[in-house]
Each structure stands twice: as C-alpha cells, then as structure tokens.
Amino acid sequence: MTAPIARRARHVAVIGGTDVTAQVEADAEAVGRLLARAGVVVVTGGREGVASAACRGASEAGGLTVGILPGRDRSDANPWVGVAIPTGLGETRNALVVMDADAVIAFPGAYGTLIELAFALLADAKVVGVGTWALGENTSILSVDTPDEAVRLALG
Amino acid sequence: MTAPIARRARHVAVIGGTDVTAQVEADAEAVGRLLARAGVVVVTGGREGVASAACRGASEAGGLTVGILPGRDRSDANPWVGVAIPTGLGETRNALVVMDADAVIAFPGAYGTLIELAFALLADAKVVGVGTWALGENTSILSVDTPDEAVRLALG
Amino acid sequence: MTAPIARRARHVAVIGGTDVTAQVEADAEAVGRLLARAGVVVVTGGREGVASAACRGASEAGGLTVGILPGRDRSDANPWVGVAIPTGLGETRNALVVMDADAVIAFPGAYGTLIELAFALLADAKVVGVGTWALGENTSILSVDTPDEAVRLALG
Amino acid sequence: MTAPIARRARHVAVIGGTDVTAQVEADAEAVGRLLARAGVVVVTGGREGVASAACRGASEAGGLTVGILPGRDRSDANPWVGVAIPTGLGETRNALVVMDADAVIAFPGAYGTLIELAFALLADAKVVGVGTWALGENTSILSVDTPDEAVRLALG
C-alpha cells in the first residue's frame, strides 16, 4: 500500500539550478538516491538540472518523487518525477516547492534557487547547503561538502 | 519502482463537499476504489467528506492518493492521503486540485465544489457529475447515477 | 490626497464575460459610472468585455479603477484601468478579483465568471446578478434587471 | 480623472523589513515622498515598517500607494495604503509585490525582503539597494546610500 507509506514518510526538498556542472548533477543524483534509500519522499520543482538529477537518483533507488511545476501541464515534468503537480503559478510556485519539506538541501542555482532558499529560511525549515548561495553569518544554512553529509544532516 | 508507475498513470480528481450524506461518502469511496484498481492516481483537496472517502477507497485498494491542501501543514491531510501538497493558498488552491486531472468526478458539495467544477470546465477537462451542481444545458458535465458509470466515463 | 480617499472608499467588483452583447456592455458601463459617482473603487479582472466597459464608465466619471490581471505585464490591462495589478497566476487570479470586494455585481459570462461568482459566494460577499449564471434557489444572488438597481442593492 | 493618471504613471516597489531602525524608516519615508512628487505609484507589501513609512511619505505628498496584502482583509493595510489588494496568498504574495514594478528600491529586511529581492532579480527588474542584503558581486543590485540617490537611480 503505497499511499500510507508515502504518508508516514518524511519529505525533503532538493533545490538548485537548471544549468549546473556535471559534478553538481552527480551530487544531486547521489542525494536523491540516499534520500530514497532512507524512505524519504523527494520534492523538487520538477524541471531540469538539479531537480532532474535528484529525481533520477531517487527514482532509480525505488523512491517516490514529487515535482511542483510552474506550468499547467503535467508532461512538463522531467522523466523521473513520480507525482507531477502542475500549478500554473509560474515562478511563484517556488514558494510551494519548499513548503512541503521537513528539510531542504540546496545546491548552486540562480535566482529561482535563491527564492526557494529564502522561503525555506522564512518558514524556519532546516536548510543544508552544498555550495549554494552565501547569505552571511546570520542565516541558519548548514554548509556541507558531500551528498552523504547533506543527507545525514537533513535527516538528523 | 513507484515513481515511474505513478508517472505513467492517469490522474483523476474527485471533488465534492466536506459535509455530505452517508450515501455520497459510500459512492465516493467506491469511486476511489475503482480508480485505484484501474491504476489511476486519485487527486483531491485532501480534507474531509468526499475527499476523505475517495482517498480511503483508493488507499485501501493499494492506490496512490494526492491531497492539494489549502494550508501550509502536511498534517492537515486526511489519513488516506498518500502525497500531501501544502499550498498556503487557502481556497484559491481549488484551482490546483483539478489542474492536475485528466478527468474530474464531481459529487454534491457547496461553493468550494462549484469553484473546482468551474475551473475544470474552464480547462475543458472531462467532467463527470454524480449528483453535483446543475449548471444548465450548455455545460458539458456528463451526468451519471452510480460510481461504476462515473469511473467508466471518466476513463473512457 | 488621492490615497486616503481611495482607502476610505468602498470597493465593488464588477465581473462578467469578455465576449458579451452591446446591451451588456452598455449596462456594465452604466454600473461603472454609477459606482464612480458614489465614490466607489471599481475592481475588475482588468481585461476586455464587461471589465473594460465597467472601467470605462468609472474612469470617465472620474473614479478609480483596479484591474487584477492574469499575466505578469501591466500593459495587458484595458485602457481604463487606473491601477493594474499583474499576478502571473493565470485564471487562478479570479479568486483575487472578488476577494477585495465589499459587494460583487455579476453580468453574463462564461466559466471565468462562474469561478468569480463561486469565490464571492464562498466568501459570503453580497452578490448582485444582472442576467448572470442561475445557480438555483439556495444561492444568495440578488437578481436585478437594471444598472440602477444593481448599484443601489450593491451599496445598500 | 485619477485613473488615467495612475495608468500612465510608473510603478516603483519599495521593500524592506517590518522591524527596522528609525533611520531606515526616515529614509523609506523620504523615498516615498520623492517618488510621489515624481508622479510615481508606490507599491509595497502594505504592512508595517518600511512599507508603512514609504506609504506615509508618498501619501502625504499626494501620491497613490498600493499595498499587496498577505491576508484576505483590506483592513490589514497600514493607514497610508491607498489601494489595498488582499491576496490570501500569505508570504507567497511577495512575488506579486515586485511583479508590478518598473524598479525596486530595497531597504534592510529579513527573509521576506530577500524573497522579494530574488523575485525582482529573477524578473530582471532594476533593483536599487539602500543597505539591503549583500548577494555577492554577480548580482545586479545598484547600491546607494541616500533616498535621493535611490530615487534618482530608480527613475533614471
């Protein structure tokens, strides 16, 4: 029974850019894989780059992946999104990507990633950064170097 | 691998009131069960009444259920929601409940149900009504009497 | 000092279709004019048809008009919108068009108008209909025939 | 005729925290006053702190002020908001505060301000910072020290 399992699972959002280096993609994929193995639902913005890599890693490890899409069409999701949620909200949907999350793992990205990071911080979510925006000493982003550390901290 | 299965699945939204008769609840539960057996992801507003009954039917038949919530807290979902999506949009989230759907099955309900019905009609979705709002001859709601007919038409 | 004046003013939403008869446009324009003369801020969806006619009537009578736009671009507003509010929410913005209103005057329209009507009824706003959707005896739409009656009831 | 005047006017968003120093409030009020004198519509989030100060400055100089509110109630606006737009979107409405703007003037603030700043940068708006978030060399925030410089750059 998939549904009750998903219900009891923790949700972790994985955020980052659509146009990132191969190393960042490999790290995001590893994060997705590790989260899925821990029984965590992986939530993303559902598009390319970090979202796609994290969904691929989670999906190939048998995990459930969610994509909160900017447009109105479920088929805009990357191929590794299990449950695609169209919103029609454009980039305003970034608020919803992290609203769902018990913790957020943030990779490098552009302003869309910064928006998600700021919404997560506003909601007082646990935020783990793997080379993401530096926002100064007063923000509570936990900075790490590896996928293993990121997942350990996110789930700790 | 849950995720790719969910991805290929059709999505059907089941809408209706929070305060409905036992007969409507039983019918909504039957609709959820039949949709799950057909491999369909059941999307609802995630709260009580029709949404709860449809999710219960689908979940107990092993199906995947999605709840698009008005608030910011995943725990507001009824116990049979598998994937809860908090939106923080209040009743404005009704637009998103049917945006996701290949077809919509509508039970009796109040103005919240009417909003979802109108968004579904605006999006030109297939809408099957089981005793829901009567909107006149010019609307394209397919009216049926039983859960079996509703699901057959929704998936036909 | 425009701002304090606007602040104390009542807000009335005027809703209806984009493709309506000349008679409906004339009535919507009259409603806009009468509302403006009563010092009321006229709120609309900001586009064509009823919205455009109501804004024209209000604007030419010296009133303040607001357009809550579906897109991201202020220039999508009709020429008689004084304050254009882009939302980027698509048709989901219909929820916002009536949220602002002390009363709603509804003309004939398609599903977009039905959405706004349903949001207004859900919010328990005073709704005056001039030939709009017939939703049955149990809804609280006050039905009238002329712009004068509509405005008198809306402000009464 | 207020409406056409407002329509042709430029819109500038003034953003910043709700709990700021007296100096920041004085600067925000000066910015509002200078914008109003230039015939600019001042758009804010409609609440306290920087938004309130900017609206006060603009309103007392005879300008038009807009407040895009998180809640559903127009009366949540600060007393100097001329046109209050309730959204019911919570903090997600921050996306809309800057969507409207030809330029954005950003004062110090917390994560809500960072969200608005990021949405403005994503939309490629002209952003002038008066002691706001430092986001690194690659962002295009124009940094200034005084209200005069801020308004000159915003309107330049």
Side-chain angles (χ1 to χ4, degrees):
Chain A
M1 285 202 290
T2 305
I5 289 173
R7 175 152 179 79
R8 283 191 301 267
R10 280 179 286 187
H11 288 210
V12 171
V14 183
I15 64 176
T18 52
D19 185 16
V20 294
T21 66
Q23 180 62 52
V24 168
E25 285 218 10
D27 284 355
E29 186 168 350
V31 159
R33 189 167 49 238
L34 292 165
L35 290 170
R37 285 183 188 159
V40 171
V41 175
V42 173
V43 183
T44 71
R47 303 300 295 273
E48 301 314 308
V50 164
S52 185
C55 288
R56 188 170 57 239
S59 174
E60 290 180 356
L64 185 64
T65 57
V66 175
I68 311 284
L69 298 169
R72 301 178 62 85
D73 193 340
R74 223 160 68 222
S75 67
D76 290 342
N78 71 60
W80 296 278
V81 169
V83 177
I85 307 289
T87 68
L89 303 174
E91 302 301 330
T92 300
R93 75 78 160 81
N94 289 22
L96 276 60
V97 173
V98 296
M99 196 180 286
D100 185 35
D102 299 302
V104 176
I105 298 178
F107 285 96
Y111 296 129
T113 303
L114 180 59
I115 291 168
E116 291 169 338
L117 211 44
F119 271 115
L121 291 164
L122 179 66
D124 210 19
K126 184 189 285 189
V127 180
V128 182
V130 194
T132 193
W133 286 82
L135 296 174
E137 293 176 358
N138 294 323
T139 62
S140 54
I141 300 176
L142 306 165
S143 194
V144 302
D145 292 320
T146 70
D148 287 274
E149 289 174 281
V151 171
R152 197 177 316 127
L153 266 181
L155 303 183
Chain B
M1 285 202 291
T2 304
I5 288 173
R7 177 154 179 75
R8 282 191 302 267
R10 279 179 288 187
H11 288 210
V12 172
V14 183
I15 64 175
T18 52
D19 186 15
V20 293
T21 66
Q23 181 61 54
V24 168
E25 286 217 8
D27 284 355
E29 186 169 350
V31 158
R33 190 167 48 239
L34 292 166
L35 289 171
R37 286 183 187 158
V40 170
V41 175
V42 173
V43 182
T44 71
R47 304 299 296 275
E48 300 314 308
V50 164
S52 186
C55 288
R56 188 171 57 242
S59 175
E60 289 180 358
L64 185 64
T65 58
V66 175
I68 312 285
L69 298 168
R72 302 178 60 86
D73 193 339
R74 223 160 67 220
S75 66
D76 291 341
N78 72 61
W80 297 278
V81 168
V83 177
I85 307 289
T87 68
L89 303 175
E91 302 301 330
T92 300
R93 74 78 161 79
N94 289 23
L96 277 59
V97 173
V98 295
M99 195 179 287
D100 186 32
D102 298 302
V104 176
I105 297 177
F107 285 96
Y111 296 128
T113 303
L114 180 59
I115 292 168
E116 292 168 339
L117 211 44
F119 271 115
L121 291 165
L122 179 66
D124 209 20
K126 184 190 285 189
V127 180
V128 182
V130 194
T132 193
W133 287 83
L135 296 175
E137 294 176 357
N138 294 322
T139 62
S140 53
I141 300 177
L142 307 165
S143 194
V144 301
D145 292 319
T146 69
D148 286 274
E149 289 174 281
V151 171
R152 196 174 320 125
L153 267 181
L155 303 183
Chain C
M1 286 201 290
T2 304
I5 289 172
R7 174 152 181 78
R8 283 191 302 268
R10 278 179 288 187
H11 287 211
V12 171
V14 182
I15 63 175
T18 52
D19 186 17
V20 294
T21 65
Q23 180 62 53
V24 169
E25 286 217 10
D27 285 355
E29 185 168 351
V31 159
R33 188 167 51 237
L34 292 166
L35 290 171
R37 285 182 188 159
V40 171
V41 175
V42 173
V43 182
T44 70
R47 305 298 295 275
E48 300 313 309
V50 165
S52 185
C55 289
R56 187 171 58 241
S59 175
E60 290 180 357
L64 184 63
T65 58
V66 174
I68 312 284
L69 297 169
R72 302 179 60 86
D73 193 340
R74 223 161 66 220
S75 66
D76 291 341
N78 72 60
W80 296 279
V81 169
V83 177
I85 307 289
T87 67
L89 302 175
E91 302 301 330
T92 300
R93 76 78 162 77
N94 289 21
L96 276 61
V97 172
V98 295
M99 195 179 287
D100 186 35
D102 298 303
V104 175
I105 298 177
F107 285 96
Y111 295 129
T113 303
L114 180 59
I115 292 168
E116 291 168 342
L117 211 44
F119 271 114
L121 291 165
L122 179 67
D124 211 20
K126 182 189 285 189
V127 180
V128 182
V130 193
T132 192
W133 286 83
L135 295 175
E137 294 177 356
N138 294 322
T139 61
S140 53
I141 300 176
L142 307 165
S143 194
V144 302
D145 291 319
T146 68
D148 286 275
E149 289 173 281
V151 171
R152 197 176 318 126
L153 267 181
L155 303 183
Chain D
M1 287 199 289
T2 305
I5 289 171
R7 176 154 179 78
R8 283 192 301 269
R10 278 179 288 187
H11 288 211
V12 171
V14 182
I15 64 176
T18 52
D19 185 17
V20 295
T21 65
Q23 180 62 53
V24 168
E25 286 217 11
D27 284 354
E29 185 169 351
V31 158
R33 188 167 50 238
L34 293 166
L35 290 171
R37 284 182 189 159
V40 171
V41 175
V42 173
V43 182
T44 71
R47 304 299 296 276
E48 300 314 308
V50 165
S52 186
C55 289
R56 188 171 58 242
S59 174
E60 290 180 356
L64 184 64
T65 58
V66 175
I68 311 283
L69 297 169
R72 301 178 61 85
D73 194 339
R74 222 160 68 220
S75 67
D76 290 342
N78 72 60
W80 297 278
V81 168
V83 177
I85 307 289
T87 67
L89 303 175
E91 302 302 330
T92 300
R93 76 74 161 82
N94 290 21
L96 276 60
V97 173
V98 295
M99 195 179 286
D100 186 35
D102 298 303
V104 176
I105 298 177
F107 285 96
Y111 296 129
T113 303
L114 180 59
I115 291 168
E116 292 169 339
L117 211 44
F119 272 114
L121 291 164
L122 179 66
D124 210 20
K126 184 190 283 191
V127 181
V128 182
V130 193
T132 193
W133 287 83
L135 296 175
E137 293 177 357
N138 295 322
T139 62
S140 53
I141 300 176
L142 306 165
S143 194
V144 302
D145 291 320
T146 69
D148 287 274
E149 289 173 282
V151 171
R152 196 176 318 126
L153 266 180
L155 302 183

